[in-house]
Every structure is written in structure tokens, then in C-alpha cells.
Amino acid sequence: MSAASTAGSVDAGPRRPAGRRKKRDDTRLALLFILPAGIGLLVFLVWPLLTGLYFSLTEYSILTPPKWVGLENYTTMLSDPVFWKSLRVTVLYVAINIGVQTVLALLIAVLMQRLTQSTWLRSLVLTPYLVSNVVAAIVFLWLLDSQLGIVNLLLQAVGFDPVSFWASETWVIPTVALVNVWRHMGYTALLLFAGLQSIPEQLYEAARTEGAGEIQLFRRITLPLLRPILALVLIMTVIGSFQVFDTISVTTQGGPSDASKVLQMYIYENAFGQYNFGYASALSVALLVILMIITFAQYFLTRAGQSDLD
Amino acid sequence: MTTTSAPAADGPRSTPLSPGASADGTGISAGPRTNGASAHRSPRSRRSGRTRRRLGPGRLLAWIVMIVILVITLFPFYWMLRTALSSNTALATDPTSLLPVGFSLGGFERVFGLQDVDTAVAQGGSGASITFWRYLLNTVIVATAITVVQTFSCAMAAYASSRLRWKGRETVFLVFLGAMMIPQIFTLLPNFILIKNLHLVDTLLGIMLPTLFISPFAIFFLRQFFNNISREVEEAALIDGASKVRVFFTLIIPISTAPLATLALLTYMTAWNEYFWSLMVSYTDSSRVLTVALAVFRAQSPNTGTDWAGLMAATLVAAAPMLILFALFAKRIVNSIGFSGIK
């Protein structure tokens, strides 16, 4: 994109006969054109960012105006065991979700690269991504039901005990994580697949003539050359994963006994269950800070900006 | 080397309101059909030889793995349909049959409020009134309004930041780009308070307003495309005396139908599937959208056991329009997924 855009923004050179337009200034028109989006930006993105920070420093129950309390919400938060528990639950969720999803997506992407370019296949792989989290959650609530769910019936058929996926403190987070893997792995695979397209075929051919096997090709060529894209995909998916809410809200509401109470769930509960908007805002700030730290850490650790392909 | 921060930065915003899915729509390039705008090289030309390799044991194994993955991917959809067409009593006695058991359209009848309370309860429903037509209509209104207004408003902003000459253009664009970094979770609560102060809680307008005019990702996406439209064509029109407004409407928009359509499709799907924000804002049928209605339906389970046939019918009704849309435009959507800034 860079070449075209920089060359394009240079004013028309002497070859252009239309010299009169050369220095034309479009400020008024431009302001008119960015007005709708600009208002949207200021009112629904920038303003909330500022008020959100402000609310986190207040006691605010919506019914009465916010009352300034300084850093009280933050000190409460640091000594709030539920906050720490929800943080642990969220991190566990992200670890399982991202771990499994990335491995599977990479597998699908590489299989597609090796097997076929078919748009058909790619469409099928993407299908779960088109239904909402709510639909995915309810379908899996049924598939994984402890009595009539087909998965448990299959487990029993091959001799295992039925697993109460949604009601067990041990299983609930892996279950939610895997449901979201189901919905997102195809999308992630397609992103990685797009990245694989940038690896020159000659590299594989050269390696193959020297007798390299598939596993070696993957380890020596695919993985290192895909690294920058893999890093970006990881940053994106981790950020998304940290914001998990829909699936849990529809299925367990944070239970059993807070075993699936992720940060977002806890924020929602504080705001809409206890009308404690000040504290909920402080929790959001905490989540924001965590996301920023993770993004930067990942970016630098994986050197996302650099490519080995130069 | 231009690793645009787009895909990375964009994570939190681009699916404005469905957490857990926030990577959605990110890193979408303008696609191969767009005038060479993106850095895509045609994959087909480089790989044509590959597909004809013979089917060795390795490839066979690879295909088997692929098929297993596809089964896992698609089976839940089949199970949805199979359950929706079954009756609750038969589901309890014959839960493993691959075909619908005790074939019945009762689930769908309950979803659309076509059954009286007694019949509904007798068939394992909760008997609570649930009228999906209303929710379907609400969802269509919200998703359509957001798609039309947001795409248009972002196209105008993208044009201003790509083609018009004015002081502060780059700065303003950077602000828009920076807004992609704000995670949606952070704006939810303050926006709720804003909507509440505007007395728009429990209205469709309240649901659409935060994403009605702006999606930083959309601006970024379209600007990249506009940047690559040949300047000569535009200059020629300007010399002929057309105004820049006219150029935008009669030249830029028609040329950009493909990326605009792709963007509109993605926006529509995101709006259709959004849940968290709607859950906050809508409380009664008047503003309830499908996703929230589904969650309510699920929470209304009767004491005797969940109305699975009804629930699966409801999820099918909520998902079907997107699946149909996808079936129609699969190629466009699939090809739009990739990275635009990486080369």
C-alpha cells in the first residue's frame, strides 16, 4: 500500500495542464465529509474512554450522580479475592482457548496449503464463524448436556463415565474454551492460510530436491516464515479471547461457584447486578491495562514487525 | 516491510460488541478482486502443479485429518436441524438416533408463537410467550441501519482522508486509526450511561447508535482502497468541471462497489451476531434482538427439562439468515480474509 499512497498524494506535477487546481484546498468539504464519522468517534469512542476513566474514580450507582472517591475502587480491587479469582479464571480460559485454537488453526491452514486451494473447503471451514456466540453456546449446551447430550452418550457408549461439562468446576472453563475454539478456529486458519500464500513455492521445491520431508519443511520453512503473521494473529486472538463474555453469559452465568466467572462477567455483574458502576469501571480499566501490557509484550517478544522473508 | 498495525490494533474494536469474538473482521484485506489494491499475489498461478500430485499415503492421511476436522466443524449444524425437527418426548427416549425422532414442527411453532400455552407445555415448552417474528424484525432493522449508515459515513471519512487536500488530514486519520486500539469492553459501560441519559435505553436507536456512524476499521479498510484508485481518472473528471462531491458519488463509489459490498456484508454479520451491548440496552420485546431473545428463551426452561426442540429451532431461525447470506457470497467473504498491510 505504501508506494501507491505516497506517490498519489503528491500534487499533480507540471505535466498536468490543470494548474488551477494544483493548490486547491478542500478543508471545508473535508470537514463536512468526516463530520458523521467524526461525531461518532468523539461521542461513542473518545468520550466514553474519558468518562470511563472518570467513573472508575467515583462511587456511582446510576440513580445518584457519581461521587468522587479517588483511588478507593482500585484499592478495593487489589484486596478483592473475587477479582483475583476471576483474573485466574480468565487467564486459564485464554491459555486453553488460544493454545488449542492456534494449533488446530495452524494444522488446518497447512493441510489446506498442501491439499487444495478450494474456496469450497475454505467456506466450510469458516461456517461456524458465521453464527453468533449465543447460537454456538446454546448448540453446545445441548451437544454437551449431561443426560441427553450426544457427546456424553458417545462417551458412555465407549465406556467412559458421563462428564458434566457445564456443571463441574474443573470442566467448565475447558468446555467454554473449546466451544469458542470451534467457532473461531476456521477464521484463524484462514488468516494463517493467507499468510502461507506469501511463502515462495520455490523454497519448498528446493528443500524437497534436497530430500527434506514434510515435517522438516514445516519446521524449517513454514514455521519461521509464517512467524510474523502468526505473531499478529496471536495478538489479535489473545485480545479477543480476554474479552470472553457471550458464551458464559448464556450458559453458566459464571457458575458453578464462580468457576467460570471471567473478568467480563464480573464487570457485568457489578454494573448490572449491583449497580456498582464505579467499581465496574475500575475493573474495566484493569482489563484495559492488562490487554495493553500483553499486546506490547507479545509484540516485542515475537518481533511481530519483522519478517524473515526479505 | 509495511507491517501495518491494522490487524493487530484492530482486534478490540472491529467486532464492536461481541467479546470473545473480538478478533472478528480483523486483518481483512480489500481482497484480490480489488484492482490489485492489496498485496495479494494470485495463489493459483503459483500452485497449479501441486493439486495434481498423486495420492500417496501421506496425502491420504492428510485428507482423513481434514475430513475429521470438517465433521467436527459441521456436525453441530446437522444436530441443530435434527433436534429442531424432533419432539421433546422422543428426544428423551431416543437421544442417539441420527435422524429426527418423533418428527414434529412443534419447536418452530413455539418459536413463532403459533402454539397455545397448553399445547406448548404439553410438548415440553415453557408456555411463555416468545415471538421470534418481532425479534427477527428488530434484528433486521438494527443490522440494516448500522450497515447502510456506517458504510456510507465511513466511506465519506475515508474519501476525505484519502483524496481531499486539507490541513490535518494525516492527524485526523491517525486519530481514527488510534481509535481501533480502544477495546470495546472499555466503552460499553460509559456508552450505556450515555444512552441512558439520552433516554434511549430499550429502544432500537439506542442499540444501533454507538456503531451507527463509526467503525475505525471500515475507514482504514476503505481508505486503503481509495488510495489505490488511479488519480488520472479523478483528475479528468475534475478538469471537466465536476465537483469533488460529484466525483465521490459518481466515480469513487461506483468504482468501489466490490470493497464496499464486502465491507457491508461483514458489518451486517457483525451487527446481526452482536450480543453484549444489546443485552445491556434492551429489556422488553420492543427492542429485543435475536441474540438476546435466544438467551431469554434458554433461561425460560420449564421445570420438566429444557425444551431442546424449541431451542434448536430458535437457534436455527437466528442463524439461518447469516448462513444463507454466506452461501450466496461465500467466495467474496472467504477471499476477504487475509492481511492487507503485510508484504
Coordinates of all heavy atoms in Angstrom, one line a residue, chain B residues 158-217:
Chain B
A158 N -13.3 8.1 4.8 CA -12.2 7.5 4.1 C -11.8 8.4 2.9 O -10.6 8.6 2.6 CB -12.5 6.1 3.7
Y159 N -12.8 8.8 2.2 CA -12.5 9.7 1.0 C -11.8 11.0 1.4 O -10.9 11.4 0.8 CB -13.9 10.0 0.3 CG -13.7 10.9 -1.0 CD1 -13.0 10.4 -2.1 CD2 -14.2 12.2 -1.0 CE1 -12.9 11.2 -3.2 CE2 -14.1 13.0 -2.1 CZ -13.4 12.5 -3.2 OH -13.2 13.2 -4.3
A160 N -12.4 11.6 2.5 CA -11.7 12.8 3.0 C -10.3 12.6 3.4 O -9.4 13.4 3.1 CB -12.5 13.4 4.1
S161 N -10.0 11.4 4.0 CA -8.7 11.2 4.5 C -7.8 10.6 3.4 O -6.6 10.4 3.6 CB -8.7 10.3 5.7 OG -9.2 9.1 5.4
S162 N -8.4 10.3 2.2 CA -7.5 9.7 1.2 C -7.4 10.7 0.0 O -6.3 10.9 -0.5 CB -8.2 8.4 0.7 OG -7.7 8.1 -0.6
R163 N -8.4 11.4 -0.4 CA -8.4 12.1 -1.6 C -8.5 13.6 -1.5 O -8.3 14.3 -2.5 CB -9.5 11.6 -2.5 CG -9.1 10.3 -3.2 CD -7.8 10.4 -3.7 NE -7.1 9.3 -4.3 CZ -7.3 8.8 -5.5 NH1 -8.3 9.3 -6.3 NH2 -6.6 7.8 -6.0
L164 N -9.0 14.1 -0.4 CA -9.1 15.6 -0.3 C -7.9 16.2 0.3 O -7.1 15.5 1.0 CB -10.3 15.9 0.6 CG -11.7 15.5 0.1 CD1 -12.8 15.8 1.0 CD2 -12.0 16.0 -1.3
R165 N -7.6 17.5 -0.1 CA -6.4 18.1 0.4 C -6.8 19.1 1.5 O -7.6 20.0 1.3 CB -5.7 18.9 -0.7 CG -4.9 18.0 -1.6 CD -4.3 18.8 -2.7 NE -4.2 17.9 -3.8 CZ -4.6 18.3 -5.0 NH1 -5.1 19.4 -5.3 NH2 -4.5 17.4 -6.0
W166 N -6.3 18.8 2.7 CA -6.6 19.8 3.8 C -5.6 19.6 4.9 O -5.0 18.5 5.0 CB -8.1 19.6 4.3 CG -8.4 18.1 4.6 CD1 -8.5 17.1 3.7 CD2 -8.7 17.6 5.8 NE1 -8.9 16.0 4.3 CE2 -9.1 16.2 5.6 CE3 -8.8 18.1 7.1 CZ2 -9.4 15.3 6.7 CZ3 -9.2 17.2 8.2 CH2 -9.5 15.9 7.9
K167 N -5.5 20.6 5.6 CA -4.5 20.6 6.8 C -5.1 19.6 7.8 O -6.3 19.5 8.0 CB -4.4 21.9 7.4 CG -3.2 22.7 6.9 CD -3.1 24.0 7.7 CE -2.4 25.0 6.9 NZ -2.7 26.4 7.4
G168 N -4.2 18.9 8.4 CA -4.7 18.0 9.5 C -5.2 16.6 9.0 O -5.7 15.8 9.8
R169 N -5.1 16.4 7.7 CA -5.6 15.1 7.2 C -4.9 13.9 7.9 O -5.6 13.0 8.3 CB -5.4 15.1 5.7 CG -6.0 13.8 5.1 CD -5.8 13.9 3.6 NE -4.5 13.6 3.1 CZ -4.1 13.4 1.9 NH1 -5.0 13.6 0.9 NH2 -2.9 13.2 1.5
E170 N -3.6 14.0 7.9 CA -2.9 12.8 8.4 C -3.2 12.7 9.9 O -3.4 11.6 10.4 CB -1.4 13.0 8.2 CG -1.0 13.0 6.7 CD -1.5 11.9 5.9 OE1 -1.4 10.7 6.4 OE2 -2.1 12.1 4.8
T171 N -3.3 13.8 10.6 CA -3.5 13.8 12.1 C -4.9 13.1 12.3 O -5.0 12.3 13.2 CB -3.5 15.2 12.7 OG1 -2.5 15.9 12.0 CG2 -3.3 15.2 14.2
V172 N -5.9 13.6 11.6 CA -7.2 13.1 11.8 C -7.3 11.6 11.5 O -7.8 10.8 12.3 CB -8.3 13.9 11.0 CG1 -9.6 13.1 11.0 CG2 -8.4 15.3 11.5
F173 N -6.6 11.2 10.5 CA -6.6 9.8 10.1 C -5.9 9.0 11.3 O -6.4 7.9 11.6 CB -5.8 9.5 8.8 CG -5.8 8.1 8.5 CD1 -6.9 7.4 8.2 CD2 -4.6 7.4 8.4 CE1 -6.9 6.0 7.9 CE2 -4.5 6.1 8.1 CZ -5.7 5.4 7.8
L174 N -4.8 9.5 11.8 CA -4.1 8.8 12.9 C -5.1 8.7 14.1 O -5.1 7.7 14.8 CB -2.9 9.6 13.3 CG -1.7 9.3 12.4 CD1 -0.4 10.1 12.9 CD2 -1.3 7.8 12.4
V175 N -5.9 9.7 14.4 CA -6.8 9.6 15.5 C -7.8 8.5 15.2 O -8.1 7.6 16.1 CB -7.6 10.9 15.7 CG1 -8.7 10.8 16.7 CG2 -6.6 12.0 16.1
F176 N -8.3 8.4 14.0 CA -9.3 7.3 13.7 C -8.6 6.0 13.8 O -9.1 5.0 14.4 CB -9.7 7.5 12.2 CG -10.9 8.4 12.1 CD1 -10.8 9.6 11.3 CD2 -12.1 8.2 12.7 CE1 -11.8 10.5 11.1 CE2 -13.2 9.1 12.5 CZ -13.0 10.2 11.8
L177 N -7.3 5.9 13.4 CA -6.6 4.7 13.4 C -6.4 4.3 14.9 O -6.5 3.1 15.3 CB -5.2 4.8 12.7 CG -4.6 3.6 12.1 CD1 -5.5 3.0 11.1 CD2 -3.3 4.0 11.5
G178 N -6.0 5.3 15.7 CA -5.8 5.0 17.1 C -7.1 4.5 17.8 O -7.0 3.7 18.8
A179 N -8.2 5.0 17.3 CA -9.5 4.5 17.9 C -9.7 3.0 17.8 O -10.4 2.4 18.6 CB -10.6 5.3 17.3
M180 N -9.0 2.4 16.8 CA -9.1 1.0 16.7 C -8.5 0.2 17.9 O -8.8 -0.9 18.2 CB -8.4 0.5 15.4 CG -9.0 0.9 14.2 SD -8.8 -0.2 12.7 CE -7.1 0.0 12.4
M181 N -7.7 0.9 18.6 CA -7.0 0.3 19.8 C -7.9 0.3 21.0 O -7.6 -0.4 21.9 CB -5.7 1.1 20.1 CG -4.8 1.3 19.0 SD -3.6 -0.1 19.1 CE -2.1 0.9 19.2
I182 N -8.9 1.1 21.0 CA -9.8 1.1 22.2 C -10.6 -0.2 22.3 O -11.4 -0.4 21.4 CB -10.7 2.3 22.2 CG1 -9.9 3.6 22.0 CG2 -11.5 2.4 23.5 CD1 -10.8 4.8 21.8
P183 N -10.4 -1.0 23.2 CA -11.2 -2.2 23.3 C -12.7 -1.9 23.6 O -13.0 -1.0 24.4 CB -10.6 -3.1 24.4 CG -9.6 -2.3 25.0 CD -9.5 -0.9 24.4
Q184 N -13.5 -2.7 23.0 CA -15.0 -2.4 23.1 C -15.4 -2.5 24.5 O -16.3 -1.8 25.0 CB -15.7 -3.4 22.1 CG -17.1 -3.5 22.4 CD -17.4 -4.8 23.0 OE1 -16.7 -5.8 22.9 NE2 -18.6 -4.9 23.6
I185 N -14.8 -3.5 25.3 CA -15.2 -3.6 26.6 C -15.2 -2.3 27.4 O -15.9 -2.1 28.3 CB -14.3 -4.6 27.4 CG1 -12.9 -4.3 27.1 CG2 -14.7 -6.0 27.1 CD1 -12.0 -4.6 28.3
F186 N -14.2 -1.5 27.0 CA -14.0 -0.3 27.8 C -15.0 0.8 27.5 O -15.3 1.6 28.4 CB -12.6 0.3 27.5 CG -12.2 1.2 28.6 CD1 -11.8 0.7 29.8 CD2 -12.2 2.6 28.4 CE1 -11.5 1.6 30.8 CE2 -11.8 3.5 29.3 CZ -11.5 3.0 30.6
T187 N -15.6 0.8 26.4 CA -16.6 1.8 26.0 C -18.0 1.4 26.4 O -18.9 2.2 26.4 CB -16.5 2.1 24.6 OG1 -16.7 0.9 23.8 CG2 -15.2 2.8 24.2
L188 N -18.2 0.1 26.7 CA -19.6 -0.4 26.9 C -20.3 0.3 28.1 O -21.4 0.8 27.9 CB -19.6 -1.9 27.3 CG -19.4 -2.9 26.1 CD1 -19.3 -4.3 26.6 CD2 -20.6 -2.7 25.2
L189 N -19.7 0.3 29.3 CA -20.3 0.9 30.4 C -20.6 2.4 30.2 O -21.7 2.9 30.4 CB -19.5 0.7 31.7 CG -19.5 -0.8 32.2 CD1 -18.7 -0.9 33.5 CD2 -20.9 -1.3 32.4
P190 N -19.5 3.2 29.9 CA -19.8 4.6 29.7 C -20.9 4.9 28.6 O -21.7 5.8 28.7 CB -18.4 5.2 29.2 CG -17.5 4.2 29.7 CD -18.1 2.9 29.7
N191 N -20.8 4.1 27.5 CA -21.8 4.2 26.5 C -23.2 3.9 27.0 O -24.2 4.6 26.6 CB -21.5 3.4 25.3 CG -20.7 4.1 24.3 OD1 -20.7 5.3 24.2 ND2 -20.0 3.4 23.4
F192 N -23.3 2.9 27.9 CA -24.6 2.6 28.4 C -25.2 3.8 29.2 O -26.3 4.2 29.1 CB -24.5 1.4 29.4 CG -25.8 1.2 30.1 CD1 -26.9 0.6 29.5 CD2 -26.0 1.5 31.4 CE1 -28.1 0.4 30.1 CE2 -27.1 1.4 32.1 CZ -28.2 0.8 31.5
I193 N -24.3 4.4 30.0 CA -24.7 5.6 30.8 C -25.1 6.7 29.9 O -26.1 7.4 30.1 CB -23.6 6.0 31.8 CG1 -23.6 4.9 32.9 CG2 -23.8 7.4 32.4 CD1 -22.3 4.9 33.7
L194 N -24.4 6.9 28.8 CA -24.7 7.9 27.8 C -26.1 7.7 27.2 O -26.9 8.6 27.1 CB -23.6 7.9 26.7 CG -23.7 9.0 25.7 CD1 -23.4 10.3 26.3 CD2 -22.6 8.8 24.6
I195 N -26.3 6.4 26.8 CA -27.6 6.1 26.2 C -28.7 6.2 27.2 O -29.8 6.7 26.8 CB -27.5 4.6 25.6 CG1 -26.5 4.5 24.4 CG2 -28.9 4.1 25.2 CD1 -27.0 5.3 23.2
K196 N -28.4 5.9 28.4 CA -29.4 6.1 29.4 C -29.8 7.5 29.6 O -31.0 7.9 29.7 CB -28.9 5.5 30.8 CG -30.0 5.4 31.8 CD -29.5 4.7 33.1 CE -30.6 4.6 34.1 NZ -31.1 6.0 34.5
N197 N -28.7 8.4 29.7 CA -29.0 9.8 29.8 C -29.7 10.4 28.6 O -30.4 11.4 28.8 CB -27.7 10.6 30.1 CG -27.1 10.2 31.4 OD1 -27.8 9.8 32.3 ND2 -25.8 10.4 31.5
L198 N -29.6 9.8 27.5 CA -30.3 10.2 26.3 C -31.7 9.6 26.3 O -32.5 9.8 25.3 CB -29.6 9.8 25.0 CG -28.2 10.5 24.8 CD1 -27.5 9.8 23.6 CD2 -28.4 12.0 24.5
H199 N -32.1 8.9 27.3 CA -33.4 8.2 27.4 C -33.6 7.3 26.2 O -34.7 7.2 25.7 CB -34.5 9.2 27.5 CG -34.4 10.1 28.7 ND1 -34.6 9.7 30.0 CD2 -34.0 11.4 28.8 CE1 -34.3 10.6 30.8 NE2 -34.0 11.7 30.1
L200 N -32.6 6.6 25.8 CA -32.7 5.7 24.6 C -32.6 4.2 25.1 O -32.5 3.3 24.2 CB -31.7 6.0 23.6 CG -31.9 7.3 22.8 CD1 -30.7 7.7 21.9 CD2 -33.2 7.2 22.0
V201 N -32.5 4.0 26.4 CA -32.5 2.6 26.8 C -33.8 1.9 26.4 O -34.8 2.5 26.4 CB -32.3 2.5 28.3 CG1 -32.6 1.1 28.8 CG2 -30.9 2.9 28.7
D202 N -33.6 0.6 25.9 CA -34.7 -0.2 25.4 C -35.4 0.4 24.1 O -36.6 0.2 23.9 CB -35.8 -0.3 26.5 CG -36.6 -1.6 26.3 OD1 -36.1 -2.5 25.7 OD2 -37.8 -1.6 26.8
T203 N -34.6 1.0 23.3 CA -35.0 1.4 22.0 C -34.0 0.8 21.0 O -32.9 0.6 21.3 CB -35.1 2.9 21.8 OG1 -33.7 3.4 21.9 CG2 -35.9 3.6 22.8
L204 N -34.5 0.6 19.8 CA -33.6 0.2 18.7 C -32.5 1.2 18.4 O -31.4 0.8 18.1 CB -34.4 -0.2 17.4 CG -35.4 -1.4 17.6 CD1 -36.1 -1.6 16.3 CD2 -34.6 -2.6 17.9
L205 N -32.9 2.5 18.4 CA -31.9 3.5 18.2 C -30.8 3.4 19.2 O -29.6 3.6 18.8 CB -32.6 4.9 18.2 CG -31.7 6.1 17.8 CD1 -31.3 5.9 16.4 CD2 -32.4 7.4 18.0
G206 N -31.1 3.2 20.4 CA -30.1 3.0 21.5 C -29.2 1.9 21.2 O -28.0 2.0 21.4
I207 N -29.7 0.8 20.6 CA -28.8 -0.3 20.3 C -27.9 0.0 19.2 O -26.7 -0.3 19.2 CB -29.7 -1.6 19.9 CG1 -30.5 -2.0 21.1 CG2 -28.8 -2.7 19.4 CD1 -31.3 -3.2 20.9
M208 N -28.4 0.7 18.2 CA -27.6 1.0 17.0 C -26.6 2.2 17.1 O -25.5 2.2 16.5 CB -28.4 1.1 15.7 CG -29.7 1.7 15.8 SD -30.5 2.0 14.2 CE -31.9 1.0 14.3
L209 N -27.0 3.1 17.9 CA -26.3 4.4 17.9 C -24.7 4.3 18.1 O -24.0 4.9 17.3 CB -26.8 5.3 19.0 CG -26.9 6.8 18.7 CD1 -27.4 7.1 17.3 CD2 -27.8 7.5 19.7
P210 N -24.2 3.6 19.0 CA -22.7 3.6 19.2 C -22.0 3.1 17.9 O -20.9 3.6 17.7 CB -22.5 2.6 20.3 CG -23.7 2.7 21.1 CD -24.8 2.8 20.1
T211 N -22.5 2.3 17.1 CA -21.8 1.8 16.0 C -22.5 2.3 14.7 O -22.1 1.9 13.6 CB -21.8 0.3 15.9 OG1 -23.0 -0.3 16.3 CG2 -20.7 -0.3 16.8
L212 N -23.4 3.2 14.8 CA -24.1 3.7 13.6 C -23.2 4.4 12.7 O -23.3 4.2 11.5 CB -25.3 4.5 14.1 CG -26.4 4.8 13.0 CD1 -26.9 3.5 12.4 CD2 -27.5 5.7 13.5
F213 N -22.4 5.3 13.2 CA -21.7 6.2 12.3 C -20.2 5.8 12.1 O -19.6 6.3 11.2 CB -21.7 7.6 12.8 CG -23.1 8.2 12.8 CD1 -23.8 8.4 14.0 CD2 -23.7 8.6 11.6 CE1 -25.0 8.9 14.0 CE2 -24.9 9.1 11.6 CZ -25.6 9.3 12.8
I214 N -19.7 5.0 13.0 CA -18.2 4.9 13.0 C -17.8 3.4 13.2 O -18.3 2.7 14.1 CB -17.6 5.8 14.1 CG1 -16.1 5.5 14.2 CG2 -18.2 5.6 15.4 CD1 -15.2 6.5 13.5
S215 N -16.9 3.0 12.4 CA -16.1 1.9 12.6 C -14.7 2.2 12.1 O -14.5 2.4 10.9 CB -16.6 0.7 11.9 OG -15.6 -0.2 11.6
P216 N -13.7 2.4 13.0 CA -12.4 2.8 12.6 C -11.9 1.9 11.6 O -11.2 2.2 10.6 CB -11.6 2.8 13.9 CG -12.6 3.0 15.0 CD -13.8 2.4 14.5
F217 N -12.2 0.6 11.8 CA -11.7 -0.4 10.8 C -12.2 -0.2 9.4 O -11.5 -0.3 8.4 CB -12.1 -1.8 11.3 CG -11.8 -2.9 10.2 CD1 -10.5 -3.2 9.9 CD2 -12.8 -3.4 9.5 CE1 -10.2 -4.2 9.0 CE2 -12.6 -4.4 8.5 CZ -11.3 -4.7 8.3

